[in-house]
Each structure stands twice: as C-alpha cells, then as structure tokens.
Amino acid sequence: MSRVPAAVGVIGGGRMGAGIAQVFLAAGARVAVVEAGGDAAQAAHNRIADGLEEAARRGKLDGDVATALGRLTLLDSPTELDPATGLVVEAVPERADLKAEVLRAAEAAVGPEAVLATNTSSLSVTELAAALERPARFLGLHFFNPVPASKLVEVVVAPETAPELVGTAGGWVRALGKTDVVVNDSPGFASSRLGVLLGLEAIRMLEEGVADAEAIDTAMELGYRHPMGPLRSTDLVGLDVRLAIAEYLHRTLGERFAPPQLLRDKVAAGELGRKTGRGFHTYD
Ligand SMILES: NC(=O)c1ccc[n+]([C@@H]2O[C@H](COP(=O)([O-])OP(=O)(O)OC[C@H]3O[C@@H](n4cnc5c(N)ncnc54)[C@H](O)[C@@H]3O)[C@@H](O)[C@H]2O)c1
C-alpha cells in the first residue's frame, strides 16, 4: 500500500489548494501551504480547518482535527519550502506566467528528487514544464472540485515526464482514497474534453428545440446513469467557466467545440448557473 509523501507543499490555498491540503493532512502528511500572506493565509487556514471539521462530522477523518491541523504550516513564499518536501502541488489562479513563476521558485527550494505538479484544468503541462530546470520531475495532478468528495484525479503526463513518476503519483492518489487515470497532455485532458463536448451538444439540442432542459438531463441521468445531466452539470460548473473552456478547446481542437450562441447569450445576460440562481435551470 502506497503512502503519501511525508512532507507536501501546496502553493495557493484557495478552493482547490485548501482541499488538496486537507486530503494530504488527513492522509498523515505534513503540509506547508504557500499563500499570498496576511488575510489570504488566514482565509486558507480557515478553509482547511472547516474542511477537516466537516470530514470529522461525517466520520470521514481518521484521528482528530487538532492533530491534523498540527501538521499544517502556512508560508509566504515557495522559497521557504522545506528542502525535504517530497511533492509540491501548485493551485494558484489559472495564469501560465504565475504558475511558471511559483513552480520555478519551488523547484529551487526543494531537493532534486521532489516531484512538482500542477493542478491546472486547461493550461498545457508541456509548456509549463519548459519553464523548469528538471522537467522530468514534473506532471499534472488534476484534482476535482470539491477535492475531499471527488474520487477522480487525472495524472497528466508531458513528453518529458519521467515514466516512473506516473506510477509514483498514481500510488499517492490511491493512498488518498482516490482513483487515478493517466492521460497524455492534450487540451482538456480526458475529463473536460468529453464533459464539455456533451454539454455543448445538449445546449445545441436545446437551441434546436429537440427537448427541454429537464428532458435532456433526465435522458442522460436515467438512460445512461449519469449522476447529473449535461445541462445541470454546466449550471454547477458555471456557464462562464464552460464558455471559457469551450473557446480554448475550439481554438486548439477545432469546430466541434464551437460554443453555441445560446451559451454566449446566457453568459451575456448574467445567467451563469447555480451561482446566479439561473442557468439552464432555476435555483432558489
Ligand atoms: N475550481 C475548480 O473547480 C477547479 C477544478 C480543477 C482545477 N482547478 C484549477 O485549480 C487552480 C486554482 O483554482 P481555484 O478554484 O482553487 O482558485 P482560487 O482563486 O480559489 O484559489 C487560488 C489561490 O491562490 C492564491 N494565490 C494567488 N497568487 C498566489 C501566489 N503568488 N502565491 C501563492 N498563492 C497565491 C490566492 O490567494 C487564492 O487563495 C486553477 O489552476 C484552476 O484552473 C480549479
């Protein structure tokens, strides 16, 4: 049975970073979270503490919250990471320049055997690798939101990733109680590429009047056992987020990802899904 590394660094303690820190703490690692300092560090600490409390309430935490939190430290910069850190996952905002900068700083702080990973949902792992001194020690670990409850992690392999890293990273994912799927670096990886395509086709069906939103979602939920239909899923992710991903996949993979006009219209009208109370469905 694989174990997670004894010391893990997480850069960015936002929605994803806090979840990633939480699951590694729960698996017994010492975790250093790098945040922009001041209020951001306190907010990250609170998110992680709240997440651990929630896990404990649901009976999903081995040990107690205080012990897990005792293994957490917050740092102001990746240059302060412990040289003995075995894995660093970056989860800063989706900007290639920012990600390259924090990954380079982390690489200079940790030992040559450490593994560096990006949690990017859409950027090229291959291009990020080009910013590093040791691209062989780098790969994508694409966690899903919310991290503690999601079972899947995509292990994204760039051409220069050392082959043995794939097995090592997969072992860590399984030690977190999650399932790894290995994907070669390409736009949208496996999950977004298929998920977004299904969502776009559902929107086109709505545009063409094939069926209403409820019928389209129910067809996939009951007919194909999807836990959530493609339009409900688009509402959950956010129509603006889906549109941005579709535009990127349209540019990189071609016409089949062209965003439907209805999606553009809804985003322009501020109907962004659950977060605004209205998307393809309405929410209280
Ligand atoms: N939200 C999702 O559903 C989701 C799912 C999978 C992957 N991702 C990816 O995860 C990454 C993070 O997304 P998120 O939703 O957690 O964003 P977020 O905005 O919630 O968190 C980003 C955090 O990074 C911090 N930060 C900014 N600059 C920093 C710096 N220089 N050093 C350290 N910390 C810094 C911010 O203060 C913030 O707390 C993105 O690449 C995103 O594409 C997001």
Side-chain angles (χ1 to χ4, degrees), residues 129-141:
L132 297 175
E133 298 282 325
R134 301 188 290 270
R137 308 296 300 166
F138 179 64
L139 80 182
L141 282 181

Side-chain angles (χ1 to χ4, degrees), residues 241-264:
V241 175
R242 271 280 159 100
L243 176 58
I245 301 173
E247 283 173 333
Y248 169 71
L249 295 178
H250 185 205
R251 277 197 306 279
T252 49
L253 295 175
E255 270 318 296
R256 63 196 189 279
F257 287 95
Q261 191 57 41
L262 180 60
L263 179 60
R264 292 191 186 285

Side-chain angles (χ1 to χ4, degrees), residues 231-232 234-240 266 269-284:
L231 298 167
R232 254 189 276 283
T234 304
D235 280 352
L236 182 66
V237 172
L239 275 65
D240 51 338
K266 282 192 171 285
E271 293 182 18
L272 305 183
R274 277 200 190 195
K275 60 189 167 191
T276 60
R278 181 183 282 268
F280 294 104
H281 299 274
T282 46
Y283 304 87
D284 294 333

Side-chain angles (χ1 to χ4, degrees), residues 59-138:
K60 299 219 163 133
L61 184 70
D62 291 337
D64 61 288
V65 173
T67 308
L69 274 180
R71 291 192 294 270
L72 172 66
T73 50
L74 278 138
L75 305 175
D76 287 337
S77 161
T79 57
E80 297 167 18
L81 283 167
D82 183 340
T85 304
L87 168 68
V88 180
V89 185
E90 77 71 22
V92 297
E94 193 76 337
R95 278 178 29 216
D97 57 338
L98 177 61
K99 288 187 185 287
E101 181 189 318
V102 299
L103 285 166
R104 266 199 302 267
E107 185 181 47
V110 299
E113 288 308 307
V115 173
L116 265 65
T118 175
N119 185 49
T120 182
S121 17
S122 65
L123 298 170
S124 161
V125 177
T126 310
E127 281 174 34
L128 287 174
L132 297 175
E133 298 282 325
R134 301 188 290 270
R137 308 296 300 166
F138 179 64

